[in-house]
Amino acid sequence: TSAVDYPIILAKVIVHEFAHAKLAMHPAANYGNKDEFYYWMEEPFANYLTLEAFGRNFGLNSKEYQTVHDFINQQPDNYRLGLDFLATRLHGYWIWRTD
């Protein structure tokens, strides 16, 4: 294994948090309580948006993208689900938050 690239991981965390803000900004976003379902949707979609951002800005074959991908692959199951969302090109990430 290689050494952890802390600047890239820090950038991942910051982009991930901005992704949460993007999810909350949709006009129909009104999920309400933060139950178990919330954490199984919100966290992977934030990682999905993070991966999209790194892929778009650095390229899918870049060190930066691979570092973020590998980091997410080591996260808990609900966060790691974002890798599956991306692989299946699941769109409409805001719909689950609508009431």
Side-chain angles (χ1 to χ4, degrees):
T1 61
S2 60
V4 176
D5 194 332
Y6 289 107
I8 294 173
I9 298 304
L10 176 60
K12 181 269 183 217
V13 170
I14 292 169
V15 173
H16 177 94
E17 294 308 318
F18 275 112
H20 283 299
K22 179 176 180 171
L23 288 165
M25 286 181 61
H26 192 276
N30 188 25
Y31 185 72
N33 59 344
K34 294 183 178 181
D35 57 10
E36 187 174 352
F37 179 75
Y38 173 91
Y39 291 107
W40 277 91
M41 297 302 290
E42 178 78 8
E43 298 303 342
F45 271 123
N47 272 344
Y48 168 91
L49 293 171
T50 301
L51 285 163
E52 276 195 332
F54 273 82
R56 187 173 49 253
N57 288 288
F58 295 102
L60 298 177
N61 295 317
S62 68
K63 172 186 143 192
E64 293 83 0
Y65 180 85
Q66 195 58 53
T67 298
V68 170
H69 184 282
D70 292 349
F71 181 80
I72 291 171
N73 199 39
Q74 295 175 27
Q75 289 187 294
D77 291 343
N78 61 323
Y79 287 77
R80 203 168 48 245
L81 186 58
L83 297 170
D84 295 327
F85 287 178
L86 184 70
T88 59
R89 303 304 300 162
L90 186 64
H91 294 288
Y93 52 82
W94 62 89
I95 295 171
W96 75 270
R97 292 188 65 131
T98 62
D99 53 358

